[in-house]
Amino acid sequence: MVAVVDGADALVRALRDFGVERHTPVAIALAIGTGGTVAGLATERGLVAAGGSTDDVVAWVAATEREVHPRWVWWSREPASVLARHDVRLGACWDLGAVHRVIHGGWRVDEVRIWCAVQGLDRRDAPVSGQLDLGAGDAGDGPHPAVRADGHLRAEWVEGSWRDDADAAARWAQLALQVHRRQLHRLGELDVAGDPMALARSESAAEILCAELELDGLPVDVTVADGLITSLAGPRAGSEANAVEQRAARDAEVLRHVPGLGTFDLRNPADVKAMLRRAGIDVPDTRAWRLEAMREAHPVVDALLQWRKAERIATTFGHGWLDQHVGVDGRLRGAWSSTDGAAGRMTAQAGLHNLPAELRPAVRADPGWVFVQADLGQIEPRVLAAVSGDRGLVQATTADDLYRPVADRLRVERPIAKVAVLAAMYGQTSGTAGQALQGMERAYPVAMQYLRDADRAGREARELRTFGGRLIPMYDTVAERDHDPDEAIDDRSVSAALAARGRYARNATVQGAAAELFKAWAATVRARLVGTGARIVLCLHDELIVHAPEAEADRVAATVTTCLDEASGRWFRGSGVRFVTDVQVVQSWADAKG
DNA sequence: GATTTCACGTA
DNA sequence: CGTACGTGAAATCC
């Protein structure tokens, strides 16, 4: 049954006919077509097809949000982007792609992968675009117009043939609802200590957050940015010839320290290595940390390191970067991914996640606005305490500075304790960490056992999930080496690869759980800020920046703190672990003191 | 033209 | 012989 509607009241009325009452907990699938002029909704009892102007359709969805406040189910974040562009920010959602990544790991996702996974189909058999859809799998009408008799999605539907047709959009939404049911079932089967359902919800919310981060952007004062870049890398080049001239001038500052030794391309590491050797400095590579120790050996080293710094700004974060990624409205925008390939951290492009500290003064709140900047303190060891349940480590989290009680327990200085804890989590065995690790083993055996189990799972390429239930993908680097005929497979390289996998798995369990907590926190903050002027404008692994009107600053700061308690309470229910955040209200990112 | 290597910024 | 990511330049592969 498909109800065709042409207004907000009609839409809500149609939903009521399907048993969806005001504020009943219900999932409604949503597909929004071309330009937002077409929307299809699906409930368990019936479908709704809506068509009109973009403003109309957006308004109808917004009305449904107000009236029903459902959990919106969609294939991907696209509807959230469309709605956000029209300033409609929804509350709860279920993103099939995000949940797919939880269940199956990795970051690549599309409708075909999602569908094949829940239907138990082989993706390689799926029809591809351009192929005539007349194969054996296509005999007669199936139960759904988008699904072939062999169970695969029809290529033209995957490509978006439904987008101009409200009725078809409703059918597309119907499939989303079907996938949602299957994902719920699959999550219910997972055997993990955490709460996969809660993870699915917060990972879904992170997708909306990404859509909004892409739209809103990070406030940047272009004038300040321009000044900083100019002081660090020189003025904006007026022409290509001018740019070449500037580069040559920068290079000359280094090369003048090695007169008569030949000419070297500073952008070519092999050339740089040769240059240094001529100057009497022999290094295996020319990395900064290695050259740092050689600063005194020859003046060219210091000049080179300074050159590298300026070159970095000039090439990656120079005027070109500013022009390309910062809009005329003073917003730095890049694509956001809610999940990286390994542990599930958020990633961002356009330099949002690796902006050099020197440029942070340019990240400024608008006049009359402020940044509420918050970061999680010592998140990884606290998360380790929670996921492992090590009572001693849990006890240590009651301190503002977790490393203090750990140091007391290990009977070492605080810096040693810190190194020991980090070494355990990262799988480091060399250096000064080795000795302190012995103490860790005695003091926190449960946490250490947890890490060792992860390490072993990684070495053995066994399936491993984070506390919340995300599958950690295992890349079989040993097998990959087998395919390289040039490389001898000696025992050393095999054991090195195994050790690397162990470290990867060890770290991914901790980093992954931390990423999940962070996203749950960010999602909670986001939900709490809907309806206010404040917006999350940056997520940086353990740090959150909210752009807020000055008058709302204190309230937002309190919200950020409260939301951490809420999120961690849901995440690590009853773990007794204390999570802490340092919240600051600042005008510029550079003013936030770590 | 696409992929790999080196380097370096962030957490 | 601590992990992850994105980016740019040059070398390298095809």
Side-chain angles (χ1 to χ4, degrees):
Chain A
M1 167 154 75
V2 182
V4 179
V5 300
D6 57 0
D9 292 345
L11 174 52
V12 172
R13 212 161 43 238
L15 291 172
R16 197 165 296 144
D17 289 343
F18 296 146
V20 176
E21 294 292 338
R22 189 178 171 80
H23 295 134
T24 47
V26 63
I28 300 180
L30 172 67
I32 294 185
T34 311
T37 57
V38 160
L41 285 74
T43 72
E44 291 296 342
R45 283 177 48 189
L47 310 180
V48 182
S53 74
T54 303
D55 286 344
D56 282 345
V57 169
V58 167
W60 304 343
V61 173
T64 309
E65 169 74 358
R66 280 194 306 276
E67 280 294 311
V68 183
H69 198 74
R71 181 164 300 281
W72 296 98
V73 176
W74 46 57
W75 286 96
S76 71
R77 70 164 78 137
E78 191 192 349
S81 294
V82 173
L83 293 165
R85 279 199 288 276
H86 291 81
D87 216 27
V88 173
R89 315 230 162 186
L90 302 181
C93 79
W94 187 281
D95 187 295
L96 301 179
V99 179
H100 174 91
R101 285 187 291 241
V102 168
I103 298 171
H104 303 284
W107 59 270
R108 278 200 294 198
V109 65
D110 54 52
E111 289 93 335
V112 172
R113 283 171 203 267
I114 296 168
W115 180 257
C116 288
V118 296
Q119 300 292 338
L121 296 166
D122 190 331
R123 193 163 57 83
R124 287 166 300 189
D125 299 336
V128 290
S129 67
Q131 207 175 49
L132 276 178
D133 218 357
L134 299 169
D138 199 34
D141 288 333
H144 191 286
V147 181
R148 306 200 312 184
D150 67 357
H152 280 286
L153 292 176
R154 290 182 196 282
E156 69 266 26
W157 280 73
V158 173
E159 280 155 35
S161 65
W162 54 271
R163 288 173 177 279
D164 296 316
D165 176 353
D167 210 77
R171 298 291 261 170
W172 192 237
Q174 182 185 25
L175 284 189
L177 204 61
Q178 188 177 325
V179 174
H180 169 237
R181 276 196 301 273
R182 301 229 178 187
Q183 288 187 336
L184 279 171
H185 182 74
R186 184 74 188 87
L187 288 171
E189 289 176 333
L190 293 185
D191 178 28
V192 290
D195 183 349
M197 298 298 174
L199 177 61
R201 289 192 293 268
S202 64
E203 293 297 307
S204 295
E207 285 289 332
I208 305 190
L209 180 54
C210 285
E212 294 174 354
L213 285 163
E214 288 180 354
L215 183 75
D216 295 333
L218 180 68
V220 166
D221 187 317
V222 180
T223 310
V224 174
D226 219 86
L228 285 170
I229 292 167
T230 298
S231 70
L232 293 164
R236 184 181 293 268
S239 64
E240 189 54 42
N242 189 208
V244 171
E245 204 175 294
Q246 284 185 17
R247 278 185 1 159
R250 277 206 306 274
D251 296 358
E253 268 307 298
V254 179
L255 296 172
R256 74 185 175 86
H257 291 287
V258 287
L261 296 184
T263 178
F264 305 95
D265 180 358
L266 298 177
R267 291 161 193 81
N268 181 341
D271 245 29
V272 171
K273 212 169 127 182
M275 176 185 79
L276 291 173
R277 196 166 49 244
R278 293 283 193 83
I281 298 164
D282 216 354
V283 280
D285 61 64
T286 69
R287 287 184 160 82
W289 65 267
R290 207 184 288 281
L291 296 182
E292 201 64 51
M294 305 280 182
R295 266 189 201 271
E296 305 304 319
H298 194 289
V300 74
V301 175
D302 185 62
L304 176 64
L305 288 169
Q306 286 189 41
W307 178 91
R308 282 249 177 94
K309 209 145 185 80
E311 181 73 3
R312 173 123 202 105
I313 300 290
T315 55
T316 308
F317 295 102
H319 295 105
W321 166 79
L322 203 59
D323 297 343
Q324 196 179 343
H325 299 293
V326 180
V328 288
D329 59 351
R331 292 293 186 271
L332 169 58
R333 291 189 180 82
W336 282 82
S337 162
S338 70
T339 304
D340 67 23
R345 300 220 288 198
M346 295 173 78
T347 66
Q349 298 182 335
L352 281 155
H353 272 182
N354 49 359
L355 198 73
E358 297 104 302
L359 293 183
R360 287 190 180 191
V363 179
R364 291 191 66 83
D366 288 345
W369 290 62
V370 292
F371 287 139
V372 177
Q373 188 269 161
D375 55 17
L376 300 176
Q378 303 167 338
I379 179 62
E380 290 191 339
R382 288 171 196 272
V383 160
L384 174 61
V387 300
S388 69
D390 187 294
R391 296 185 58 153
L393 204 53
V394 169
Q395 176 60 34
T397 67
T398 58
D400 285 348
D401 176 13
L402 172 142
Y403 298 120
R404 196 65 265 167
V406 172
D408 293 344
R409 182 115 172 223
L410 299 183
R411 295 169 192 272
V412 296
E413 294 299 309
R414 184 187 175 282
I416 305 288
K418 183 174 176 178
V419 166
V421 171
L422 295 176
M425 287 189 297
Y426 298 159
Q428 188 188 353
T429 51
S430 61
T432 53
Q435 208 148 26
L437 278 173
Q438 304 266 309
M440 285 289 295
E441 203 64 61
R442 281 192 300 276
Y444 307 108
V446 176
M448 295 298 279
Q449 183 63 43
Y450 182 89
L451 294 167
R452 213 170 16 250
D453 287 346
D455 197 295
R456 177 179 294 173
R459 285 168 178 273
E460 295 172 2
R462 273 190 286 118
E463 180 178 294
L464 189 63
R465 287 184 184 273
T466 62
F467 180 82
R470 173 188 303 281
L471 182 69
I472 296 167
M474 285 298 169
Y475 308 106
D476 196 341
T477 51
V478 176
E480 276 164 23
R481 275 162 192 265
D482 281 343
H483 294 300
D484 184 352
D486 293 337
E487 186 170 355
I489 309 294
D490 57 89
D491 291 347
R492 286 239 314 280
S493 71
V494 169
S495 95
L498 287 174
R501 251 167 36 188
R503 286 195 304 273
Y504 163 80
R506 180 188 280 262
N507 182 244
T509 51
V510 178
Q511 195 181 91
E516 287 162 4
L517 171 63
F518 176 82
K519 280 186 260 185
W521 178 42
T524 310
V525 172
R526 177 201 167 269
R528 193 61 51 81
L529 295 180
V530 167
T532 76
R535 299 257 191 274
I536 296 176
V537 289
L538 189 73
C539 294
L540 190 46
H541 307 319
D542 66 351
E543 180 176 357
L544 204 56
I545 299 183
V546 180
H547 193 222
E550 212 164 0
E552 292 180 30
D554 290 343
R555 199 148 41 87
V556 170
T559 297
V560 164
T561 306
T562 311
C563 287
L564 176 59
D565 293 336
E566 276 179 38
S568 61
R570 275 200 302 276
W571 211 248
F572 299 114
R573 200 185 310 279
S575 72
V577 170
R578 178 164 168 258
F579 289 93
V580 295
T581 175
D582 179 36
V583 187
Q584 301 177 62
V585 177
V586 294
Q587 204 62 46
S588 153
W589 194 11
D591 299 337
K593 298 295 174 229

